[in-house]
Amino acid sequence: RAKRRHTGGVMRCLSRSPPAAARQLVVGLSSSVGWASAAGARTASGSVLSHIDAAGAASMVDVSGKAATKREAVAGATVQLGPTAFEALSDNAKGDVLAVARVAGVLAAKRTADLIPLCHPLLISHASVDFELDAAAHSLHITASASCAAGTGVEMEAMTAASVAALTVYDMCKAASKGIVISELRLLRKSGGKSGEWRARVEERGAAATAPV
């Protein structure tokens, strides 16, 4: 008789079925239902969730067999400050806001594995955070990049840098406005590894369009 066990948010179905049949047990994960495979949980569309193992449990991907190659990633985020906070930021009313946010972003890139549970600790070769003030939209656009030579990519490091830089700007400007909105956190491009180069289609800043090209 099959027994059901709930572990870590994943419903598993355990039985005495032979291994071949067991690999095709349905795995319920959040709102997605897919098939478990040796490479991870395969969704109905055929995509593979690499951080879900054949049994349906969360798992760190084994990259020990991958060659170390150059990896780069660039991410972006937008901080919608509003007129009051934008003026305060422009006037630098609370110290050097952007300098602190830049350092925070770089530090976050180096500590990504401590924040995202299944990320691999990487020896970052380079990380940077740049800003662009948009007076017309009372917004700040953040671009963060990261690179390394490793067996896995640095997309999460770039996105973590952009997000923490944005949060730091919020922290240093919240006295001027509590209604600051952080939006459009996304991967802009990546290169290296088996999947090669990927770029997001950005048709207009302020309206995210992330279909790959």
Side-chain angles (χ1 to χ4, degrees):
R1 178 180 298 178
K3 298 181 181 179
R4 291 185 177 273
R5 181 183 303 166
H6 187 271
T7 306
V10 177
M11 181 67 74
R12 303 189 201 179
C13 185
L14 303 178
S15 71
R16 296 179 181 177
S17 305
R23 285 197 295 269
Q24 296 184 7
L25 294 175
V26 174
V27 177
L29 176 64
S30 301
S31 59
S32 299
V33 176
W35 296 97
S37 71
R42 188 174 297 278
T43 66
S45 65
S47 300
V48 173
L49 303 179
S50 60
H51 284 295
I52 306 300
D53 67 16
S59 175
M60 177 179 280
V61 177
D62 184 359
V63 297
S64 59
K66 294 185 178 182
T69 59
K70 184 177 181 180
R71 314 284 186 130
E72 295 179 320
V74 179
T78 296
V79 184
Q80 300 169 6
L81 293 154
T84 302
F86 185 86
E87 182 180 2
L89 176 63
S90 300
D91 293 341
N92 215 15
K94 191 181 177 183
D96 197 342
V97 174
L98 299 187
V100 175
R102 177 175 286 111
V103 172
V106 171
L107 177 61
K110 296 191 293 182
R111 300 295 297 272
T112 299
D114 292 334
L115 301 171
I116 310 299
L118 299 180
C119 275
H120 296 84
L122 297 179
L123 182 61
I124 300 296
S125 302
H126 178 75
S128 65
V129 179
D130 296 305
F131 305 98
E132 179 184 344
L133 289 167
D134 186 344
H138 299 121
S139 296
L140 175 71
H141 302 296
I142 300 172
T143 303
S145 64
S147 63
C148 72
T152 188
V154 287
E155 294 92 335
M156 293 308 302
E157 283 71 16
M159 293 184 69
T160 300
S163 63
V164 171
L167 287 168
T168 303
V169 171
Y170 182 96
D171 178 53
M172 298 191 70
C173 294
K174 67 182 183 294
S177 173
K178 299 295 191 295
I180 297 170
V181 176
I182 297 172
S183 64
E184 298 181 330
L185 174 65
R186 63 197 188 277
L187 181 67
L188 297 176
R189 62 180 181 273
K190 58 82 62 179
S191 63
K194 183 179 179 180
S195 61
E197 185 170 349
W198 181 91
R199 287 178 178 269
R201 183 184 298 119
V202 182
E203 297 175 349
E204 181 181 354
R205 182 166 266 167
T210 57
V213 297

